[in-house]
């Protein structure tokens, strides 16, 4: 059994612990994620459906798939995956997030296995999944290569890894830190550190270094006129998402 080093950054976890009770408030501190969530789900569901030959028009298209949502927070992604029929494990290193997620799932009539744990602990325990969702987490860990290595080991051969993060350039600093934290105040100051942002090319190299095969990347683009997000094949300048596979 391979042991994985813990890549959790205690300072980063403390930031999200402080906001735990607001996960399901669409006007609270997680407003940006609530706004982005439909776009994230569009990408995630289509990637999973395409990779595992599932018809999203059926009642439970993800039945039989085991999905891990790392950094699950209050369950904004775990709950839709469960509604689509998947067997979902939600993991978060911020302990206060787990009761919030469990209560909301219970009220929604959803059976989701929420755990206060880390990707590394799950990998060391030899747990495996068809899909690993790794959304807006990699820019918060202490050691991205080690963390992505654990994500690789959590996937069954042929499994799908979906990872989103924020690009590192002047535009992302202006949008994600100055705009989101200082001007719009969507997030508390200090939620993100620009130096921890990762360019798409860097992330692809990190994924390959972890033994994963990158197969797709798209941008999440915010339109301030319509106050909505869309997927883009060309604009990965701020928020973006990738899909990669563990070779069969």
């Amino acid at each position: 059994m391979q042991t994985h080093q813990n890549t959790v950054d205690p300072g980063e976890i403390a930031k999200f612990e402080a906001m735990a009770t607001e996960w399901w408030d669409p006007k609270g501190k997680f407003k940006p994620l609530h706004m982005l969530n439909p776009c994230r789900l569009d990408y995630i569901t289509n990637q999973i459906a395409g990779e595992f030959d599932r018809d999203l028009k059926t009642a439970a298209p993800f039945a039989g798939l085991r999905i891990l949502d790392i950094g699950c927070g209050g369950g904004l992604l775990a709950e839709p995956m469960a509604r689509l029929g998947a067997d979902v494990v939600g993991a978060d290193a911020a302990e206060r997030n787990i009761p919030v997620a469990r209560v909301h799932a219970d009220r929604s009539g959803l059976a989701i296995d929420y755990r206060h744990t880390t990707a590394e602990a799950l990998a060391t325990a030899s747990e495996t999944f068809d899909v690993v969702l790794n959304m807006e987490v990699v820019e918060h860990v202490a050691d991205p290569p080690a963390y992505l290595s654990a994500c690789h080991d959590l996937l069954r051969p042929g499994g799908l890894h979906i990872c989103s993060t924020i690009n590192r350039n002047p535009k992302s600093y202006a949008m994600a830190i100055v705009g989101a934290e200082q001007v719009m105040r969507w997030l508390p100051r200090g939620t993100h550190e620009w130096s921890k942002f990762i360019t798409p090319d860097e992330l692809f190299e990190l994924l390959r270094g972890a033994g994963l095969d990158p197969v797709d990347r798209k941008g999440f683009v915010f339109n301030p006129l319509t106050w909505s997000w869309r997927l883009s094949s060309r604009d990965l300048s701020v928020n973006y998402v990738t899909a990669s596979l563990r070779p069969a």
Side-chain angles (χ1 to χ4, degrees), residues 41 59-63 65 67 75-89 105 108-114 133:
L41 286 168
F62 294 169
L65 294 178
I67 297 178
L76 297 186
L77 290 175
E79 289 200 6
M81 295 300 103
R83 289 192 180 95
L84 291 168
D87 175 12
V88 181
V89 174
S108 302
L110 297 170
I112 299 173
D113 181 4
Y114 284 117
L133 302 181

Side-chain angles (χ1 to χ4, degrees), residues 161-175:
H161 175 256
I162 300 179
C163 178
S164 64
T165 188
I166 306 175
N167 203 340
R168 188 182 68 256
N169 55 40
K171 182 177 179 181
S172 70
Y173 183 87
M175 297 288 288

Side-chain angles (χ1 to χ4, degrees), residues 117-178:
T117 188
T118 64
E120 296 80 12
L122 290 168
T124 298
S126 300
E127 296 223 28
T128 57
F129 301 84
D130 299 292
V131 180
V132 170
L133 302 181
N134 178 11
M135 309 295 285
E136 291 84 40
V137 175
V138 69
E139 72 270 22
H140 295 288
V141 302
D143 187 340
Y147 171 68
L148 291 173
S149 177
C151 292
H152 164 275
D153 292 352
L154 286 165
L155 284 167
R156 294 166 179 165
L160 175 66
H161 175 256
I162 300 179
C163 178
S164 64
T165 188
I166 306 175
N167 203 340
R168 188 182 68 256
N169 55 40
K171 182 177 179 181
S172 70
Y173 183 87
M175 297 288 288
I177 294 181
V178 176

